Amino acid sequence: MFSLNELRRPVIAAPMAGGVSVPELVIAAADAGGLGFLAAGYKSVDDVLAQAHRVRMASGDPFGVNLFMPGAPANLDAASAYRGRLAGLAVELGVELPEPYEDDDAFDAKCAALWDAPVPVVSFTFGCPGADVIRRFRQAGTFTIATVTSVDEAAQATASGVDALVVQGPEAGGHRGTFDAHATPPTQPLDALLLAVRAATDLPLIAAGGLGTASAIAEALRTVAAVQLGTAFVDADEAGTSPVHRRALHDPRFIETALTRAFSGRVARALRNDFIDAYGPDAPPEYPALNQLTGPLRKAAAQSGDAEIVALWAGTSWRTTQTASVATILDNLL
Ligand SMILES: Cc1cc2nc3c(=O)[nH]c(=O)nc-3n(C[C@H](O)[C@H](O)[C@H](O)COP(=O)(O)O)c2cc1C
């Protein structure tokens, strides 16, 4: 079975759903001595298997697949009210908003597919499955990692039998992995959270959130087995990131990141733009219903290059994001 110790470089290229983590990024991370991750979130089972197949064909190195844990059903009435708030913008952009619906991201089917065609590593975010599911992955020879944002979540994941934890601080770009979508994610900074989690579990820890410089990474690696970097790879040559997202990371018009539920209903960190300011304050915590609703708006805006309506996921260290190959980015960060 995979072990974090076998990595030539203790760096994980974070799974980034929504098109960033394409097979090329995963292969490049492995070639550079780290661990790459496919992002299964929002994808069909067939697309996940096809991407895993492409990575296997191109590289003999280990890689991971990240799964979204389903949570409690969304309140569709609250989501429908939000749909009403977005109606004017939908008319402006000439798009139709869907009616919100229940969606568990095909979690069970993705697990079953990965038991049939195992991958070296699987990680979970938005929750951690029970011991029975983790046992099945172990029987398939798969190393399992849970994303946690608090000591309680770390204890729960440890009890389920996972092999390692990604400890995600509030500095992180993209969604917080907080188990309960309705809860306010903890605000304890990554370094303090790591200390608290270290005292609560013996599992290997992987630090994630706001690590964008060589000194921050070196400091984190004094206490953890590896770091997981997302924002650092969003503008990598091999990433599948949209042009509008890439440009925004270097656009002086964006001066800060913000935590918002505006795009998906779950708390996530992105470059602060007009959409966050207009819709964030009263976005209900109904994931994934809000993600469905804003999808056509985000897509239309990305196509027309309008960065003010796109989810520009970015961590607090976004200003250090390099436009370069994965290998060069890693050379500069380690
Ligand atoms: C564009 C983007 C997409 C992300 N998508 C996922 C995802 O699909 N699954 C996941 O577990 N984490 C996801 N994350 C969070 C990362 O796993 C990681 O926690 C975060 O990027 C670390 O903080 P940093 O961006 O400051 O390096 C995403 C992050 C970004 C920036």
Side-chain angles (χ1 to χ4, degrees), residues 1-311:
M1 185 159 24
F2 170 80
S3 153
L4 288 165
N5 297 329
E6 76 189 64
L7 296 176
R8 272 190 291 125
R9 286 165 148 178
V11 176
I12 297 176
M16 291 183 275
V20 178
S21 291
V22 289
E24 290 71 21
L25 182 69
V26 177
I27 295 160
D31 286 349
L35 181 71
F37 254 92
L38 292 171
Y42 316 129
K43 283 205 187 75
S44 69
V45 176
D46 285 350
D47 285 352
V48 175
L49 291 178
Q51 288 205 332
H53 182 70
R54 269 173 66 195
V55 174
R56 255 191 228 103
M57 290 297 103
S59 158
D61 292 321
F63 67 98
V65 173
N66 174 254
L67 300 174
F68 286 1
M69 264 290 285
N75 175 340
L76 297 184
D77 291 340
S80 289
Y82 193 66
R83 184 176 186 271
R85 292 255 299 113
L86 298 172
L89 185 59
V91 171
E92 250 175 67
L93 296 186
V95 300
E96 189 89 34
L97 299 182
E99 287 295 340
Y101 53 92
E102 282 307 331
D103 180 15
D104 65 0
D105 204 49
F107 179 78
D108 291 345
K110 286 174 185 171
C111 287
L114 293 171
W115 294 331
D116 278 351
V119 294
V121 185
V122 162
S123 74
F124 306 96
T125 191
F126 304 156
C128 181
D132 47 342
V133 169
I134 300 300
R135 203 174 305 118
R136 292 285 297 272
F137 277 110
R138 179 159 303 124
Q139 283 163 358
T142 299
F143 185 91
T144 53
I145 304 175
T147 307
V148 300
T149 63
S150 70
V151 172
D152 278 358
E153 290 173 356
Q156 214 177 303
T158 303
S160 76
V162 294
D163 298 303
L165 302 178
V166 165
V167 180
Q168 188 203 45
E171 301 90 343
H175 284 104
R176 300 303 307 281
T178 304
F179 289 11
D180 177 358
H182 285 235
T184 302
T187 54
Q188 198 175 24
L190 177 63
D191 50 1
L193 179 62
L194 281 170
L195 277 177
V197 170
R198 181 69 295 162
T201 179
D202 292 329
L203 288 178
L205 303 184
I206 299 155
L211 301 172
T213 62
S215 59
I217 290 168
E219 178 64 27
L221 286 173
R222 286 159 47 140
T223 58
V224 294
V227 292
Q228 177 161 302
L229 312 179
T231 304
F233 294 116
V234 172
D235 199 19
D237 299 342
E238 298 90 342
T241 314
S242 67
V244 68
H245 194 169
R246 288 181 187 272
R247 275 197 305 273
L249 289 166
H250 311 286
D251 186 338
R253 147 165 71 129
F254 296 108
I255 54 170
E256 61 181 340
T257 61
L259 287 167
T260 184
R261 293 186 187 269
F263 294 108
S264 73
R266 269 190 167 274
V267 174
R269 187 176 290 281
L271 294 177
R272 183 175 164 195
N273 61 6
D274 289 349
F275 191 86
I276 293 177
D277 287 348
Y279 301 100
D282 47 21
E286 304 307 335
Y287 177 89
L290 265 56
N291 195 62
Q292 299 154 3
L293 286 177
T294 66
L297 299 170
R298 289 181 280 120
K299 198 167 162 207
Q303 273 164 3
S304 70
D306 182 356
E308 296 298 340
I309 302 173
V310 175

